[in-house]
Amino acid sequence: TGVAFPDLCMNGESWRSLAPGLFAEHGVVLLAEALSENELGLAQRRAQENVNEVLSMFILRQALGQIGPDEQYNEINGRDGGWYDIRHRFHQEPFATFGERGAWVPLVRELLGGEA
């Protein structure tokens, strides 16, 4: 299916027995079909909305002289050369639900323990 490392790719049923060993050996496990097309589309739209909102406010504050080009603002950090690090508000929907009930949550808890 075009996956570079198909042996590292799990579906929702096979992860319990195979993923911990693969993660220990390779440091990565790919969980196939973790989001439906609708969920992925919703996440992409919400992430883009967040980025647009945060960048608009950051650029406005820069234009008003309230912050310099390399300073922090709320959920954005300006870095050298016009690069920005932006948080995606994972406490908001749909990200909060994905973090609580996403297909990968059992795998993360298996690998990191119950406090994950």
Side-chain angles (χ1 to χ4, degrees), residues 75-112:
E75 295 182 341
I76 186 169
N77 292 315
R79 294 192 298 151
D80 54 1
W83 290 89
Y84 299 99
D85 295 327
I86 299 174
R87 296 186 188 135
H88 285 288
R89 300 178 183 168
F90 284 106
H91 64 285
Q92 295 179 354
E93 292 302 327
F95 307 111
T97 298
F98 296 158
E100 293 172 7
R101 296 189 297 265
W104 54 86
V105 171
L107 174 59
V108 171
R109 289 198 175 125
E110 177 75 18
L111 295 172
L112 301 179

Side-chain angles (χ1 to χ4, degrees), residues 29-47:
V29 173
L30 306 174
L31 184 57
E33 301 174 3
L35 295 175
S36 70
E37 285 187 42
N38 288 337
E39 290 170 325
L40 180 59
L42 177 61
Q44 288 171 325
R45 286 189 303 276
R46 186 62 180 138

